[in-house]
Amino acid sequence: MDPEVSVLLHCAHWRGLQESRVQVELSDRFNRRTDPALEQHIDEVWTERVSKEPWLFNAAKFRLHSFCLASPKHPHSTNSSHDLSYDCAEDQDRGVCVTNRCLNQTEDAASSKCDCKKNITSDIPSHSSGSLLTLRLGLTCYKDYLGTNWSRSVAELRQRGEAEFSDPLALLAQPLGVGAVLCTHDGQVVFIRRSQKVAEAGGLLDIPGGHPEPKVVCERLGQAAGEDQITVVMMEQRPEAVVSELFSSVCAEIRDEVNIPLSTLGAPVLMGVALNHTSAGRPSAEFYVSCSLTSDQVSKLYWKGGPEAHESTDVVFLSRMEVLQLDRSSALWSELCPSAKGAVLLYQTVTPDES
């Protein structure tokens, strides 16, 4: 495994999960812990960053606290998450709960030493109906992300989290990102080279991606509010709207970054969740998305420029076989940013486009 990334959850048993198989549980209980001293530290970090990068702006994000995967014996029991404690408790007959404290593991789901992970890819029959995966989400923001996950004091924050809450990530923002392994009609996977002006991983190869946006969910629910006014209460009665945003946001990122029409994209398939250890284990939901366009057509659209064309400087295509064979010994591996590495690892594990 590459020390920069690891796989928290993969959905290989189902070749990935469609939107109908995923649900979310929203609660303020899943927000990060805080105190006045930490808030002051976050303010100081934000002021320093904005002074150097005045184009930065704050925005609400969803925080991944934990997830629960239904067991084979109870494929409809995603509500069992309410019956499980949040300290890595496990009930073999009802489901498997993996909490936020486990997100700092550096091994993948199959080899982790954390007992609460040992069955997170339980062999649930692919024909079972209903939701299989429950994501437990709170709220955070980009400012908090820079002031915790990217703070020079992140090691201290992790130590405090473990000492005070038995959770090394309790004080970290942990915003949930999204990314897409985008495959063209002629079997090419789309990568983009990040601009040197972006906040993270400048100049490296990436996949299209970003974040599901709480503000978008609120607006769709008729609860329009400023970024700093968004609350869980605005969304918790309609969690399906959050799932919809999780899946649709990855397509919106493809449209904006690669300039591909939404009408040419297939339904996103959730491959799993990868962790970026260069930002203290920040999680990202990685999807497989097919495209009806050829790589030549995608290239022409990319060079015409989309709404977020400034975030990248080039488009690069690798064949499906090349992506499946990528590993740390490959010359190209060192050119991939952590988010792309995590998505590639999940793609190789889940192989969602195999029949």
Side-chain angles (χ1 to χ4, degrees):
M1 293 291 293
D2 189 304
E4 290 187 341
V5 295
S6 64
V7 173
L8 174 67
L9 163 71
H10 69 73
C11 306
H13 289 284
W14 312 275
R15 302 289 186 200
L17 296 181
Q18 299 283 349
E19 182 176 338
S20 62
R21 295 298 184 89
V22 179
Q23 66 179 15
V24 301
E25 179 184 355
L26 287 164
S27 174
D28 287 330
R29 291 177 297 150
F30 305 143
N31 295 350
R32 68 177 176 86
R33 303 298 188 97
T34 188
D35 59 42
L38 178 54
E39 292 306 299
Q40 181 178 349
H41 172 73
I42 291 172
D43 286 340
E44 292 171 352
V45 171
W46 179 252
T47 299
E48 179 183 355
R49 286 295 297 265
V50 172
S51 68
K52 297 177 181 178
E53 304 164 80
W55 56 84
L56 294 179
F57 65 94
N58 194 22
K61 307 296 178 187
F62 291 106
R63 180 181 190 267
L64 179 64
H65 171 276
S66 53
F67 67 84
C68 185
L69 195 64
S71 74
K73 294 182 181 179
H74 296 268
H76 304 289
S77 65
T78 50
N79 285 336
S80 66
S81 60
H82 297 287
D83 302 320
L84 295 170
S85 68
Y86 295 101
D87 58 356
C88 300
E90 178 182 333
D91 183 336
Q92 296 280 354
D93 293 331
R94 294 182 62 79
V96 179
C97 170
V98 179
T99 67
N100 188 34
R101 66 175 295 178
C102 301
L103 298 181
N104 67 321
Q105 298 296 315
T106 56
E107 300 294 329
D108 66 18
S111 61
S112 172
K113 297 180 181 179
C114 181
D115 290 339
C116 69
K117 283 190 183 179
K118 60 186 177 183
N119 289 317
I120 66 173
T121 53
S122 301
D123 192 9
I124 302 175
S126 59
H127 62 270
S128 63
S129 60
S131 298
L132 298 175
L133 175 66
T134 299
L135 300 174
R136 295 196 182 97
L137 304 176
L139 283 177
T140 185
C141 65
Y142 187 62
K143 174 183 175 181
D144 290 359
Y145 170 58
L146 292 183
T148 59
N149 288 67
W150 275 106
S151 169
R152 290 187 292 268
S153 303
V154 66
E156 178 185 344
L157 292 177
R158 291 172 65 94
Q159 292 171 359
R160 282 188 53 198
E162 181 65 49
E164 298 173 21
F165 307 105
S166 299
D167 176 2
L169 303 181
L171 296 169
L172 304 188
Q174 295 297 95
L176 179 63
V178 294
V181 171
L182 175 64
C183 192
T184 65
H185 186 66
D186 53 342
Q188 300 291 306
V189 178
V190 180
F191 293 85
I192 52 178
R193 190 169 296 281
R194 293 173 64 83
S195 166
Q196 293 288 356
K197 293 183 179 181
V198 295
E200 300 175 40
L204 298 179
L205 288 177
D206 200 0
I207 56 171
H211 301 84
E213 302 290 349
K215 184 175 183 179
V216 172
V217 176
C218 290
E219 289 174 347
R220 288 174 181 167
L221 296 177
Q223 300 276 357
E227 294 284 1
D228 58 349
Q229 299 173 322
I230 294 172
T231 65
V232 166
V233 174
M234 295 177 175
M235 299 174 283
E236 62 184 353
Q237 298 304 314
R238 293 286 302 279
E240 70 279 3
V242 178
V243 178
S244 177
E245 167 62 7
L246 178 66
F247 278 74
S248 64
S249 64
V250 74
C251 291
E253 294 292 347
I254 293 171
R255 176 198 62 201
D256 294 344
E257 294 182 4
V258 193
N259 199 32
I260 296 178
L262 294 177
S263 60
T264 68
L265 301 178
V269 176
L270 178 63
M271 298 186 294
V273 176
L275 305 179
N276 181 348
H277 296 292
T278 67
S279 52
R282 178 251 188 119
S284 181
E286 306 296 356
F287 295 83
Y288 169 80
V289 180
S290 63
C291 179
S292 62
L293 303 177
T294 66
S295 52
D296 284 343
Q297 291 172 316
V298 169
S299 181
K300 290 177 182 178
L301 288 170
Y302 171 83
W303 287 111
K304 286 183 179 180
E308 297 181 5
H310 62 283
E311 294 186 1
S312 64
T313 59
D314 196 8
V315 62
V316 176
F317 299 94
L318 297 180
S319 71
R320 178 180 182 277
M321 188 56 62
E322 287 176 306
V323 174
L324 289 174
Q325 293 176 348
L326 276 175
D327 59 28
R328 292 185 67 186
S329 66
S330 306
L332 193 62
W333 188 259
S334 61
E335 289 192 54
L336 299 179
C337 66
S339 57
K341 291 177 180 178
V344 166
L345 291 175
L346 280 166
Y347 179 67
Q348 293 172 342
T349 301
V350 179
T351 56
D353 48 356
E354 285 190 354
S355 57

